[in-house]
Amino acid sequence: MYEDSDERKLRKKGQTEMKHSILSLYLNPWIKKISMVDSNLLFVDGFAGPGRYPDGSQGSPLIAMDMADKMLSTANGIDERLDSFKCIFIEKDPENFEKLKQSVQEKEQVVDDRIDPICRPGKFEDWAVDFTEQYEYGVPPPSLVFIDPFGYGNIPFSLITELFQLRDQSLELLITFMAGKMAQWMEDSGHQKAISEALGSTEWQQRVPPDLGKDERAERFSSIYQEQLKDKADAKFTMPFEMVEESKRQTCYYLIHVTNHWQGLKVMKETMFNAGADDEFAYLGPDHTGYEDDQLSFAEFGETNDFEERVEAFARSLYSTYKGDEIVFQDLLEETLDQNVFKLMHYRSAFQILEAEGKLEVEHRPHKPNGNKSRGYGRDDILKFVNMSLSNFT
């Protein structure tokens, strides 16, 4: 096992580049949207590292500072709305921490003065305990917390729960969940307690049999973790993205986005979709292994060669799920948006397919804020999924 400051451990890999790309792409709309809610925002990097990789490329702390600076200098309205963008960068390895301080100080000289970075030595879990105690009787600023450890130990699920529940909305988590390591070490008695603490449950011992393949075990661990986030931490939406180890083509970890607002989920989905798949990551929805419910799911982001067929299959799945029902488009989104890879435009394409087949009727509600007058699909419009088997007898 390499030390945290060992260059072999710090070497930047393709999956890390993709993870940083996702972070950068998401910070842009997150700052834009959340600055409408509050003028003071917080970004936390719980495992900040040295700030730069051995090849000189920027790590997540500098990426976050650059994106905030870009938004403050170019985005319309944000310059007037945002008073401060506070950053807390946490690093436990002493050698990495000294490098982090230097790289952040250098970056601080060239970015907007409202970007306020604080480098904190020590463990993420110690900061999280202090933070939850600080706001036990108050509300923290809107926050995006990036939790990106090398392993899964020392971050008990109970702490994740306390942290996420500090705000009803506008506190989001982006978690590197090391499901591949769990799958690798689950039969080792020395690791089982740490796995149970990270998941907040021992149920995995019944639900993840060792005779499964490693990727399937990893997927089940991810499923259990997301169930826990929803059941115990009261998270409304979770989105998992599988990150693949390039050399072995095996699941390395999942990048899991956690939010209570559908707009946050919508933006993250668009971020992932626009980043492109290239087989580096995939969305794995709730009807993969580990989930018992028959729900909607597709496994790849991006407009692949068979994407039209996938939208048609999505339309059939929607119809199968809601046949005979009426539902407001917004309610349908909140029920299904974290169960597939599709953006709102793809939902509307699926509706067009169903309408052409006589399987969908739309009640427009122009008097509503998001209702359409005579055509299209507004989020306040009512979708009526026609039961074709019954309509034949009327």
Side-chain angles (χ1 to χ4, degrees):
M1 180 69 69
Y2 301 135
E3 295 294 328
D4 285 353
S5 56
D6 193 301
E7 287 196 1
R8 289 168 292 183
K9 190 170 186 178
L10 293 172
R11 190 176 299 124
K12 194 169 186 178
K13 301 177 181 179
Q15 56 191 256
T16 301
E17 292 178 1
M18 180 60 72
K19 178 169 55 181
H20 287 170
S21 175
I22 293 165
L23 174 64
S24 178
L25 289 169
Y26 186 66
L27 271 171
N28 183 316
W30 184 80
I31 293 172
K32 183 177 181 179
K33 189 73 177 179
I34 303 301
S35 63
M36 297 180 181
V37 176
D38 199 299
S39 60
N40 299 289
L41 307 184
L42 173 64
F43 173 75
V44 180
D45 191 334
F47 298 82
R52 288 190 182 275
Y53 287 88
D55 64 0
S57 58
Q58 296 192 142
S60 47
L62 305 188
I63 289 171
M65 292 176 71
D66 270 347
M67 180 51 65
D69 184 61
K70 179 181 178 181
M71 296 296 289
L72 283 165
S73 61
T74 63
N76 291 334
I78 294 179
D79 180 65
E80 290 79 20
R81 294 198 301 266
L82 196 60
D83 290 336
S84 71
F85 185 81
K86 185 175 182 178
C87 303
I88 299 177
F89 303 133
I90 306 158
E91 176 54 42
K92 70 174 184 177
D93 181 83
E95 185 176 341
N96 281 346
F97 181 73
E98 291 304 316
K99 294 177 180 178
L100 173 67
K101 281 201 304 182
Q102 181 179 349
S103 60
V104 168
Q105 286 170 359
E106 292 172 355
K107 178 64 70 176
E108 191 174 7
Q109 302 303 311
V110 297
V111 298
D112 193 287
D113 290 342
R114 285 167 289 181
I115 299 171
D116 178 21
I118 297 174
C119 295
R120 169 169 167 154
K123 298 178 181 179
F124 165 76
E125 52 269 28
D126 292 337
W127 169 84
V129 169
D130 291 345
F131 190 71
T132 54
E133 289 179 353
Q134 178 184 354
Y135 289 103
E136 182 178 3
Y137 301 106
V139 180
S143 307
L144 177 61
V145 184
F146 185 38
I147 306 171
D148 185 29
F150 284 115
Y152 54 81
N154 301 321
I155 309 180
F157 186 80
S158 58
L159 189 57
I160 296 293
T161 297
E162 291 176 9
L163 182 63
F164 186 70
Q165 291 180 341
L166 287 174
R167 282 186 70 107
D168 291 336
Q169 293 185 354
S170 301
L171 192 154
E172 301 186 12
L173 308 179
L174 191 58
I175 304 172
T176 297
F177 179 69
M178 302 300 290
K181 293 295 184 183
M182 289 184 177
Q184 179 180 353
W185 296 104
M186 58 175 281
E187 295 182 82
D188 189 318
S189 59
H191 288 258
Q192 290 172 352
K193 181 180 179 181
I195 292 174
S196 295
E197 288 181 353
L199 294 172
S201 171
T202 58
E203 185 182 351
W204 66 271
Q205 295 176 341
Q206 288 74 49
R207 294 182 55 184
V208 191
D211 58 340
L212 295 176
K214 181 182 175 184
D215 282 356
E216 193 172 358
R217 295 199 302 269
E219 194 176 325
R220 289 207 180 188
F221 278 121
S222 172
S223 300
I224 293 168
Y225 192 64
Q226 291 171 77
E227 290 173 6
Q228 288 287 93
L229 285 166
K230 291 185 175 181
D231 294 343
K232 305 299 183 182
D234 297 326
K236 192 168 184 179
F237 304 109
T238 64
M239 283 293 289
F241 308 101
E242 180 187 32
M243 309 299 286
V244 177
E245 187 175 353
E246 297 93 331
S247 59
K248 299 179 181 178
R249 308 307 298 168
Q250 291 181 337
T251 300
C252 183
Y253 57 84
Y254 289 81
L255 190 62
I256 300 178
H257 177 239
V258 189
T259 181
N260 275 338
H261 201 292
W262 82 275
Q263 286 278 9
L265 171 63
K266 169 181 172 289
V267 171
M268 178 55 82
K269 286 186 70 174
E270 291 172 349
T271 296
M272 293 300 299
F273 195 97
N274 295 337
D278 296 329
D279 206 27
E280 295 289 345
F281 59 89
Y283 166 73
L284 296 178
D287 65 352
H288 279 249
T289 57
Y291 283 91
E292 298 176 356
D293 296 334
D294 182 18
Q295 300 184 52
L296 311 173
S297 171
F298 292 86
E300 292 181 354
F301 271 93
E303 294 196 2
T304 53
N305 292 333
D306 63 343
F307 195 74
E308 289 187 9
E309 290 82 359
R310 292 168 60 200
V311 173
E312 291 174 1
F314 179 49
R316 292 194 296 272
S317 295
L318 285 171
Y319 181 70
S320 175
T321 302
Y322 291 98
K323 181 172 63 176
D325 294 340
E326 297 183 4
I327 187 169
V328 176
F329 184 14
Q330 178 66 42
D331 293 339
L332 184 144
L333 285 173
E334 297 197 18
E335 288 184 9
T336 64
L337 199 59
D338 66 347
Q339 298 172 19
N340 59 73
V341 302
F342 298 106
K343 300 191 293 185
L344 265 64
M345 62 180 290
H346 304 130
Y347 273 81
R348 293 184 168 102
S349 295
F351 296 159
Q352 289 175 348
I353 293 171
L354 295 177
E355 242 192 317
E357 295 175 350
K359 296 178 179 178
L360 179 69
E361 298 175 354
V362 183
E363 180 183 332
H364 297 291
R365 300 199 294 177
H367 59 287
K368 295 285 187 177
N370 293 295
N372 283 13
K373 185 174 182 179
S374 61
R375 56 186 300 178
Y377 312 97
R379 288 190 285 109
D380 282 331
D381 290 342
I382 297 175
L383 306 172
K384 301 179 180 181
F385 292 85
V386 180
N387 189 336
M388 301 296 287
S389 59
L390 294 179
S391 64
N392 292 332
F393 294 96
T394 59

